[in-house]
Amino acid sequence: MSTIHVSDTPQALAQAAAEFICSLAKNTIRKRGRFAIALSGGNTPRLTYERMRLTDNQPEWSRMYFFWSDERCVPPDHPDSNYRLARKALLAHIPIPAGNIHPMDCSTSPEAGAEAYESLLRGWVAANGEPAFDLVMLGLGDDGHTASLFPGTRALDEHERWVLANRVDRLGSWRMTLTYPALRASEQIIFLVQGGSKAPVVKAILEEHNSELPASAVSARTGSPHWYLDAASAALLNPAVRHDSTRDGQKNDG
Ligand code: 6PG
């Protein structure tokens, strides 16, 4: 059963998500001495990354290790780069060793980059133990994709590898993405979704449980993901589905 958190606005969503992430990071660092997080891309997470460095409840940044859920195959200073998004909104503003930041790199080739990232992750687990990630952040496309697990692409059928180069014909481009096995190697998963254009696909996943949609098949070690939505993206959900949701941190009464 997914946990659903609904905030009134994208700004409130970002604040609620940032508080969840920073609180989880502090507790995990206290317990495990580290916090490994895979960051999502696209536009939605920028506000959350900014709130993470501005909240009162800041984790010990030097104990945090940053990976990515997926990457576009573009240079790291390209406007479409998911690494650039996180660097500008968060990483350039916090006291963190460069060695704690592990961007995905397609500069040689998508396949070579995916193999190198796979080795990096396997080596990370060998040296630091499971889980591979304490948290994976994901977004949601209006076609039900998440990370770069797009409908009809090869990466959906991968059962062993944690990282794949994935050709996305719909975009006419290559992506690098974590696979379902990699997501299942994460202790927890959080989806961040905002905007009315996502309301139909949010309903299809959380209420209609449409198994055809890539994001429907996502699960973590602790089970179902946490969904952080704004009112617009949650607008089509049946009130019963939102029953256990919280609004800006206050428990909804139904
Ligand atoms: C990417 C993302 C992708 C994204 C969704 C939602 O690299 O594009 O990882 O999965 O999260 O497409 O994107 P928006 O936040 O821009 O709507």
Side-chain angles (χ1 to χ4, degrees), residues 104-122:
M104 290 178 164
D105 174 8
C106 298
S107 56
T108 306
S109 75
E111 291 86 350
E115 284 171 18
Y117 213 73
E118 175 97 17
S119 301
L120 171 76
L121 292 181
R122 299 290 181 174

Side-chain angles (χ1 to χ4, degrees), residues 41-44 70 72 82 139-141 145-147 175 198:
N43 299 305
T44 300
D70 75 323
R72 293 87 178 270
N82 290 339
L140 180 68
H145 82 261
T146 190
R175 293 284 189 93
K198 306 291 175 70

Side-chain angles (χ1 to χ4, degrees), residues 104-174:
M104 290 178 164
D105 174 8
C106 298
S107 56
T108 306
S109 75
E111 291 86 350
E115 284 171 18
Y117 213 73
E118 175 97 17
S119 301
L120 171 76
L121 292 181
R122 299 290 181 174
W124 162 263
V125 172
N128 297 282
E130 293 189 333
F133 307 107
D134 297 292
L135 180 69
V136 168
M137 294 175 67
L138 294 173
L140 180 68
D142 52 15
D143 61 354
H145 82 261
T146 190
S148 285
L149 299 169
F150 283 79
T153 61
R154 182 174 73 97
L156 297 178
D157 301 325
E158 178 58 41
H159 300 295
E160 302 294 330
R161 293 276 305 270
W162 280 358
V163 189
L164 276 189
N166 199 29
R167 177 72 187 172
V168 185
D169 291 336
R170 196 196 89 176
L171 302 177
S173 65
W174 282 91

Side-chain angles (χ1 to χ4, degrees), residues 65-252:
Y65 298 84
F66 288 89
F67 302 87
W68 271 261
S69 308
D70 75 323
E71 185 57 273
R72 293 87 178 270
C73 288
V74 293
D77 57 356
H78 190 284
D80 290 349
S81 164
N82 290 339
Y83 162 74
R84 178 177 181 269
L85 164 75
R87 180 173 55 77
K88 286 171 66 73
L90 174 61
L91 302 176
H93 306 276
I94 57 176
I96 183 164
N100 289 31
I101 300 171
H102 303 286
M104 290 178 164
D105 174 8
C106 298
S107 56
T108 306
S109 75
E111 291 86 350
E115 284 171 18
Y117 213 73
E118 175 97 17
S119 301
L120 171 76
L121 292 181
R122 299 290 181 174
W124 162 263
V125 172
N128 297 282
E130 293 189 333
F133 307 107
D134 297 292
L135 180 69
V136 168
M137 294 175 67
L138 294 173
L140 180 68
D142 52 15
D143 61 354
H145 82 261
T146 190
S148 285
L149 299 169
F150 283 79
T153 61
R154 182 174 73 97
L156 297 178
D157 301 325
E158 178 58 41
H159 300 295
E160 302 294 330
R161 293 276 305 270
W162 280 358
V163 189
L164 276 189
N166 199 29
R167 177 72 187 172
V168 185
D169 291 336
R170 196 196 89 176
L171 302 177
S173 65
W174 282 91
R175 293 284 189 93
M176 202 189 302
T177 187
L178 295 185
T179 60
Y180 288 127
L183 299 180
R184 284 196 295 274
S186 176
E187 191 69 14
Q188 294 201 53
I189 291 172
I190 178 174
F191 275 94
L192 299 183
V193 190
Q194 73 182 37
S197 67
K198 306 291 175 70
V201 70
V202 164
K203 181 182 183 70
I205 292 170
L206 290 180
E207 187 173 313
E208 299 162 358
H209 306 296
N210 180 338
S211 59
E212 296 295 308
L213 300 172
S216 293
V218 169
S219 64
R221 286 160 61 105
T222 53
S224 298
H226 293 259
W227 287 76
Y228 276 72
L229 310 172
D230 68 347
S233 63
L236 298 181
L237 286 179
N238 182 308
V241 172
R242 293 175 52 159
H243 175 70
D244 71 341
S245 69
T246 58
R247 178 178 289 279
D248 294 344
Q250 305 304 319
K251 190 76 180 158
N252 273 1

